[in-house]
Amino acid sequence: MAIKMLFSANGSIVVGGDLSELRLTDSTGQPIDISGETKLFLCRCGASKTKPFCDGSHEVIGFQAADAAAAPG
């Protein structure tokens, strides 16, 4: 099963699927342990105290995402 990402409306990025091959690292290159996880919720509002993971802060700050995704590049 492929890894899938869902950009939820005004919320987190939901990452699901076969996460066994997904490798997350922090800004210094250190691995982030996600072993055993079947779904991840990643922050995109910038307010989470548990970055890179969502802690629900987007609801408190009233985060408003763009209506549509921008084209890459």
Side-chain angles (χ1 to χ4, degrees):
M1 179 190 295
I3 295 172
K4 297 180 181 181
M5 297 176 69
L6 168 70
F7 290 74
S8 55
N10 301 322
S12 62
I13 302 167
V14 183
V15 183
D18 181 6
L19 301 184
S20 65
E21 294 298 318
L22 181 64
R23 302 293 180 258
L24 294 181
T25 58
D26 67 16
S27 62
T28 66
Q30 294 300 308
I32 299 171
D33 182 14
I34 58 167
S35 57
E37 299 295 334
T38 58
K39 191 178 279 188
L40 300 173
F41 299 86
L42 300 178
C43 175
R44 68 176 175 150
C45 74
S48 175
K49 291 178 178 47
T50 60
K51 290 183 204 81
F53 305 105
C54 176
D55 68 359
S57 292
H58 58 274
E59 294 177 4
V60 176
I61 67 167
F63 175 69
Q64 295 289 307
D67 288 335

